[in-house]
Every structure is written in structure tokens, then in C-alpha cells.
Amino acid sequence: MNQEADHLYLDRASCRTLLAWLRDFAWLSRELENVTTRQTRYTGPSERKAAETPVVFNPAASELAREVREVLMSWTSNVCEVRQLPLPHPRRRSVAALAVWLREHVMDLAQIEPARDAYNEIRELHQKSMRMVDRPEEQEFVGPCQSDVPGVECDGVYARRGADLKNCASCGVCVDVPAVMAATHETLAARLYTERELVQALKVVLRRTVPRQTVRRWVVDGKLERRGPAGLFELGPAMELAERAQRRGGHAQAPKM
């Protein structure tokens, strides 16, 4: 993978963001089905009491679910054609299954010329799906504010997953969320960590919790090596181990929705 790094049409920070969106489609596909068939809405108690008899079928949700599957299938086919990979079995072409396939082949996707188009299309569908299921999200830390306003100190930027822009709560500056995340990831990847610090860095970059006992087990098993005289750890190898465990359904805790 390192030998092909110079041929990527999608930078590694964007690949990590794309992985998070694709991971979300596992539950988004189920929620879209719920909205399609039962008009499910995540509303407050007062709104539910006032609601009229629910509509049995939601054509907009049905159309969006169809669009998501078609786009994921299209990019899967594109990657297979260019990278000379076999197409997934016809029984493995649901939204959830296609999202898993693209996550497992994200570096193949990053090496095809229209990779940025795939990124933009999947981002748009992720945002549409989140709005359709109307599921509340907690805001997560994405990095330091980009403001250069003199005399103003910002605590950092917090945004919902999938957000592109966010006004800083401290200074009001409009922040480019993907750019801040990319800069944050590059900064985090450039330094070494103690075991405790590594757990926190993984949470920021992966946007989910990797339990400290999991990191400890990697160290004991020799999967995660110490670096330098201080015996610290690199972020990159830990991220690869966490992603591998996530694909296997391992011990890394699922992201909070």
C-alpha cells in the first residue's frame, strides 16, 4: 500500500472520512427501510402525540434508498473494472453489503481517477440519508478553529458527522470541517504517543472508541511496537489494527449514533 501512495487520487484523510460514511450505511439502510414502510420519524413526545395516522409508504425514502444502492453499486463496478477485481456476488449487493465491500477496498477506490467524484457523491447521499431518518447526532471534536481573530481563544471545533461547514461557537468564524479534520489527522499522525494518549488520538481520528484494554492487548501480543528510547507508539499502525478489528467485528466499540 505504501508503494502506491503516490498514485492516490484521494488523500488518506478523505479516505478515513469516507470509511466513516460507509460504515454509517449499515444502520442508515435499515432506518431508510423503516422510514419507507412505517414513516418513522425521530420526533419528540409532544410531536408524536399530535401526529396524525402515519402514512404507510414514504416514496421519497424509497427513492433515496434506491439511489444509494445504485450509486454504491456503480462505484463498486467502477473499482472492479479499473482494478481488475471480481464483482461481489449478486447476493452481496444490498446497501449494507456494498458499503462493506467499498470500505474493504477503499484504497482501490482511492487509486481510480474519479475517486473524488465518488467521495462527493457518497458524502451527498450520506447527508441526504441522515436528514431523511432525522436521527439526532452528538457533535464531535474535529480540530482547532481556523480563526486568526486577535485576542480570541477558541476551545476547538465541534460538528456533527458529515458536516462540511460549521460556525465556531467561540469566535463565529465559518470553519471548513473536512479541512480541519485533515489538518488534525496529519498533526496527530506526525507524533508519538503513550498508551493512554494513543487511545485518545484514535478516538479523534476514527470517531469511535477503541478500549484501552484492546490497545494493551495489541502491545502484549506484539502487534503494536514501541518506538524510540521512550517506548512510545505511532498512530498509523494502531489505526490499521483498529480498522482490521472493526471489519472482523472485533473489540473496538461501535461509534455512537
Side-chain angles (χ1 to χ4, degrees):
M1 187 170 66
N2 292 336
Q3 294 177 347
E4 299 174 328
D6 293 337
H7 303 286
L8 298 181
Y9 292 95
L10 203 61
D11 61 87
R12 294 185 184 275
S14 295
C15 287
R16 289 191 287 269
T17 303
L18 186 58
L19 284 170
W21 293 336
L22 290 168
R23 188 181 302 115
D24 284 346
F25 277 113
W27 66 266
L28 279 171
S29 61
R30 295 192 299 269
E31 296 300 340
L32 283 173
E33 182 179 352
N34 288 338
V35 175
T36 297
T37 57
R38 293 194 296 274
Q39 192 73 7
T40 304
R41 303 296 291 178
Y42 293 88
T43 54
S46 61
E47 293 175 272
R48 285 198 294 268
K49 290 178 182 178
E52 298 178 357
T53 303
V55 178
V56 176
F57 179 74
N58 183 335
S62 177
E63 175 63 22
L64 178 58
R66 182 195 62 78
E67 183 183 1
V68 170
R69 185 188 176 281
E70 287 185 355
V71 168
L72 295 186
M73 187 67 231
S74 174
W75 286 113
T76 298
S77 300
N78 199 321
V79 171
C80 288
E81 180 180 355
V82 176
R83 302 291 293 166
Q84 299 183 344
L85 300 171
L87 279 168
H89 190 278
R91 294 182 180 178
R92 302 291 298 168
R93 296 182 187 180
S94 65
V95 168
L98 290 170
V100 168
W101 191 94
L102 286 168
R103 287 188 65 241
E104 292 175 348
H105 295 84
V106 69
M107 297 311 294
D108 289 298
L109 173 60
Q111 291 172 70
I112 67 174
E113 192 168 348
R116 181 58 61 178
D117 293 335
Y119 177 93
N120 291 335
E121 286 188 15
I122 293 171
R123 175 184 61 185
E124 182 179 359
L125 289 175
H126 182 270
Q127 292 172 340
K128 286 182 178 179
S129 298
M130 294 294 290
R131 288 195 295 268
M132 180 64 71
V133 303
D134 198 21
R135 189 166 186 167
E137 278 191 289
E138 293 182 2
Q139 296 196 80
E140 300 174 344
F141 178 75
V142 297
C145 180
Q146 297 170 313
S147 172
D148 56 0
V149 179
V152 176
E153 294 185 5
C154 305
D155 295 329
V157 179
Y158 290 79
R160 290 182 174 86
R161 182 172 298 181
D164 291 324
L165 299 174
K166 175 67 186 293
N167 290 330
C168 177
S170 300
C171 67
V173 166
C174 185
V175 174
D176 182 334
V177 173
V180 171
M181 289 179 63
T184 300
H185 293 172
E186 289 178 6
T187 301
L188 292 174
R191 56 160 292 186
L192 297 175
Y193 298 87
T194 65
E195 186 178 300
R196 181 181 60 81
E197 292 171 339
L198 184 62
V199 171
Q200 295 302 315
L202 286 170
K203 184 174 182 180
V204 171
V205 173
L206 299 178
R207 309 186 80 176
R208 69 176 188 271
T209 298
V210 178
R212 186 167 180 176
Q213 59 266 33
T214 299
V215 175
R216 164 55 53 181
R217 185 163 56 254
W218 293 339
V219 176
V220 172
D221 292 346
K223 297 178 179 178
L224 193 61
E225 298 180 358
R226 298 181 183 273
R227 302 293 182 187
L232 302 178
F233 302 100
E234 292 179 326
L235 180 59
M239 288 174 56
E240 292 180 6
L241 288 168
E243 288 291 349
R244 198 179 307 158
Q246 182 75 7
R247 287 195 295 270
R248 292 197 309 264
H251 298 285
Q253 182 178 321
K256 293 182 178 179
M257 299 298 178

